[in-house]
Amino acid sequence: DGGITQSPKYLFRKEGQNVTLSCEQNLNHDAMYWYRQDPGQGLRLIYYSQIVNDFQKGDIAEGYSVSREKKESFPLTVTSAQKNPTAFYLCASHRRGRPNEKLFFGSGTQLSVL
Amino acid sequence: GEDVEQSLFLSVREGDSSVINCTYTDSSSTYLYWYKQEPGAGLQLLTYIFSNMDMKQDQRLTVLLNKKDKHLSLRIADTQTGDSAIYFCAESISNFGNEKLTFGTGTRLTIIP
């Protein structure tokens, strides 16, 4: 079955540490997105990528980095520069040029600071 | 600029209709969506409406779009306990072939037995 997989489900970060969240999809989607969800603030866009080897900053990119070396994969690194990383992170994908098609979401990664 | 706003909470009695409202600011949005999120999970698309439509009905769901006022609403008829969730509206904006979805803050719908 096709889908989008995020791992791990729970992740803990120590002070000053970089951590990487995985997002893989086998839907052959061009466009992939990372969102951060905080209570009462909805989803905020961190980074998005429309094609391989290209990505754009979203609304809250500071303290995060991404790569898009393969169509299936869009990992997100939360760097030590992100001072408030505790949140629920959601990855999503859809076919480029198809805004009427649904955005497929992963099941999320809960990141907490130790 | 893009800004999508929703009220944070809504409580409705089982069997009544729920109406969740959303306002957006970017008039160039092409599609508007309603997503549902259950606890600890990702979002699932419920329905969407193209920006040149006023209304769309899909079983118990009715979407109304007032483009002049930039107001979107989702009506759930005969609300059931399984409808308890957070509901997000979102707008899609195309910019030179790049599409970006902006989500609202989400409305937590609670069903009162």
Side-chain angles (χ1 to χ4, degrees):
Chain A
D1 284 341
I4 182 166
T5 303
Q6 287 186 244
S7 61
K9 190 162 178 64
Y10 300 96
L11 186 59
F12 297 90
R13 192 191 92 165
K14 292 181 184 176
E15 203 73 39
Q17 187 183 34
N18 291 356
V19 291
T20 297
L21 284 62
S22 169
C23 178
E24 304 275 332
Q25 52 95 3
N26 60 3
L27 300 161
N28 200 33
H29 286 171
D30 294 301
M32 297 186 74
Y33 305 79
W34 273 106
Y35 289 91
R36 170 180 169 140
Q37 185 177 19
D38 295 277
Q41 293 197 52
L43 273 66
R44 292 183 289 168
L45 182 63
I46 306 172
Y47 269 97
Y48 62 110
S49 168
Q50 301 287 321
I51 54 172
V52 174
N53 292 323
D54 188 47
F55 47 83
Q56 287 80 40
K57 291 182 180 180
D59 301 316
I60 54 163
E62 188 174 344
Y64 299 96
S65 66
V66 292
S67 62
R68 187 84 188 278
E69 296 174 5
K70 297 187 296 181
K71 190 175 186 178
E72 311 80 53
S73 179
F74 190 40
L76 173 75
T77 297
V78 184
T79 74
S80 55
Q82 174 48 247
K83 298 305 178 192
N84 183 23
T86 297
F88 190 55
Y89 290 86
L90 285 163
C91 179
S93 72
H94 77 91
R95 283 202 290 175
R96 190 180 178 204
R98 297 285 194 275
N100 57 319
E101 290 184 356
K102 64 179 180 180
L103 205 59
F104 281 78
F105 279 86
S107 55
T109 294
Q110 175 65 50
L111 175 63
S112 303
V113 176
L114 289 176
Chain B
E2 312 121 13
D3 199 13
V4 181
E5 295 188 354
Q6 302 175 237
S7 53
L8 289 179
F9 303 100
L10 177 66
S11 295
V12 172
R13 291 204 177 276
E14 190 174 0
D16 287 351
S17 292
S18 306
V19 179
I20 304 170
N21 294 302
C22 171
T23 57
Y24 60 98
T25 55
D26 197 314
S27 56
S28 63
S29 52
T30 51
Y31 286 87
L32 295 123
Y33 307 83
W34 283 104
Y35 281 85
K36 179 182 180 182
Q37 184 184 34
E38 296 185 1
L43 277 67
Q44 294 177 299
L45 180 68
L46 283 179
T47 187
Y48 67 91
I49 188 167
F50 189 45
S51 57
N52 69 353
M53 295 170 64
D54 298 323
M55 186 183 91
K56 181 177 179 181
Q57 186 150 4
D58 184 1
Q59 299 182 336
R60 290 193 298 126
L61 306 178
T62 303
V63 178
L64 294 177
L65 175 61
N66 181 328
K67 201 168 180 183
K68 175 176 166 288
D69 294 339
K70 299 189 184 69
H71 182 264
L72 182 74
S73 68
L74 173 70
R75 179 176 177 269
I76 305 173
D78 187 26
T79 309
Q80 304 298 308
T81 53
D83 295 325
S84 290
I86 301 176
Y87 291 81
F88 291 91
C89 66
E91 60 173 348
S92 172
I93 298 158
S94 277
N95 183 17
F96 300 104
N98 288 328
E99 291 139 26
K100 192 172 106 166
L101 246 66
T102 300
F103 285 83
T105 52
T107 299
R108 183 180 295 275
L109 177 62
T110 302
I111 313 306
I112 305 165

